Amino acid sequence: MYTARVKGRMMLLENPARDSRAKKALDEKRVVRKKERERKKLGVIGKREAKERGVWKFDESQARFDLFLPLHNLWMGYMSELLSLPPQPAKIPPPELAQKSMPNSSGIHPKLLKADYHGSIMTVSQSKNPCLVGVSGIVIHETENAFKVVTRQNKLKLLPKQNSIFTFAVPLYSILPHSHTPDKPLPFPPPTTTMEDGSSSQAQARQTVLDAPHIQFELYGNQFRFRAAERAGRKFKHKETIEL
């Protein structure tokens, strides 16, 4: 028996030392404190501190659609660069020919999933709350569960993502100048000035993506309930969905 089962084998004479629950909890707290110190060194504040400082507080008296049009134009330039949109031709072709210049959807969808939508025009096309259907505006803040938009009627609206389907559009052609390169910052549109006759000196700055050739997409809110920062590093899998 000794020769067959014991001889030449290593045997533990006592139980190996195990970390206690208290020690594990202490180690986890140390890791959290270390991350907080690193975050403070970088100047990044957490959600609680941002709420205490009132970072996301918005003065509703400034909820003017015209005030956020430059942000929308900046977003169109961002999408032009992100999706590598073709330059706009000198003469806009008819819709039948314009469809041929549309980029490949299989290459667009992964980029749109991780894109930033601050500045886009988001419209509720379907919702279990009938009061929200048709509400449209420029996104000024996106959270995990909602879009905060400023409508054309200069009103601030909170659009929940749950049980809602949104539509948004991206330009069909790039709005960036031909001299723009990826290493340069996106051109910011100049502020509009009103003439004596009431006309605007910068009509281009007041133009939205819906006023030019564009591509429209649907966004399912139930599948999009992530913060923008989390969505950028998340992997999405293609699957069928039943809405609503």
Side-chain angles (χ1 to χ4, degrees):
M1 179 70 70
Y2 171 78
T3 304
R5 297 189 177 183
V6 179
K7 186 178 180 180
R9 297 191 178 186
M10 183 181 294
M11 300 182 65
L12 296 176
L13 300 180
E14 60 181 359
N15 293 330
R18 295 182 180 179
D19 294 337
S20 62
R21 292 182 179 178
K23 188 175 183 303
K24 288 183 178 179
L26 184 61
D27 292 340
E28 291 176 357
K29 288 182 179 179
R30 286 175 180 171
V31 173
V32 172
R33 289 197 200 103
K34 185 178 179 181
K35 289 183 178 179
E36 288 180 354
R37 286 196 298 267
E38 292 176 352
R39 188 176 60 189
K40 288 182 179 179
K41 287 181 181 179
L42 296 174
V44 180
I45 61 176
K47 290 190 292 184
R48 181 181 299 176
E49 189 176 355
K51 186 176 181 180
E52 292 174 353
R53 293 187 181 184
V55 173
W56 300 114
K57 287 185 179 179
F58 182 73
D59 186 3
E60 294 193 14
S61 63
Q62 297 181 357
R64 291 167 41 207
F65 190 81
D66 290 346
L67 191 64
F68 291 95
L69 276 177
L71 175 64
H72 175 62
N73 279 266
L74 192 65
W75 180 82
M76 287 196 294
Y78 159 68
M79 296 305 293
S80 300
E81 184 176 357
L82 178 68
L83 304 178
S84 302
L85 298 177
Q88 182 172 335
K91 184 178 180 181
I92 302 297
E96 297 79 10
L97 298 177
Q99 291 182 356
K100 297 181 180 180
S101 60
M102 290 179 60
N104 188 7
S105 60
S106 61
I108 287 182
H109 290 163
K111 295 180 180 179
L112 291 178
L113 285 171
K114 300 183 179 184
D116 192 335
Y117 289 92
H118 291 89
S120 63
I121 294 183
M122 201 69 66
T123 305
V124 182
S125 60
Q126 297 181 44
S127 177
K128 285 192 174 181
N129 183 358
C131 298
L132 296 176
V133 177
V135 178
S136 177
I138 298 176
V139 177
I140 62 171
H141 186 204
E142 180 189 357
T143 64
E144 182 177 354
N145 295 307
F147 290 109
K148 189 177 290 186
V149 303
V150 174
T151 66
R152 292 181 182 271
Q153 292 75 30
N154 299 329
K155 293 183 179 180
L156 186 66
K157 296 288 186 180
L158 187 67
L159 308 179
K161 294 180 181 179
Q162 187 175 10
N163 299 328
S164 296
I165 298 178
F166 303 89
T167 58
F168 68 96
V170 299
L172 179 60
Y173 302 107
S174 174
I175 68 165
L176 299 175
H178 295 284
S179 59
H180 177 75
T181 56
D183 58 333
K184 294 182 180 179
L186 293 175
F188 195 78
T192 57
T193 55
T194 305
M195 301 298 185
E196 294 180 357
D197 58 354
S199 62
S200 174
S201 63
Q202 294 290 341
Q204 183 67 22
R206 291 185 176 274
Q207 189 180 34
T208 67
V209 67
L210 302 177
D211 300 325
H214 59 272
I215 314 170
Q216 188 165 293
F217 295 91
E218 280 190 344
L219 190 152
Y220 292 86
N222 288 340
Q223 315 298 332
F224 214 68
R225 295 172 63 186
F226 302 97
R227 290 188 298 168
E230 295 175 353
R231 194 174 65 245
R234 190 178 181 86
K235 292 183 179 179
F236 290 88
K237 294 183 179 179
H238 176 75
K239 59 182 179 180
E240 299 295 334
T241 181
I242 300 176
E243 298 289 348
L244 286 170

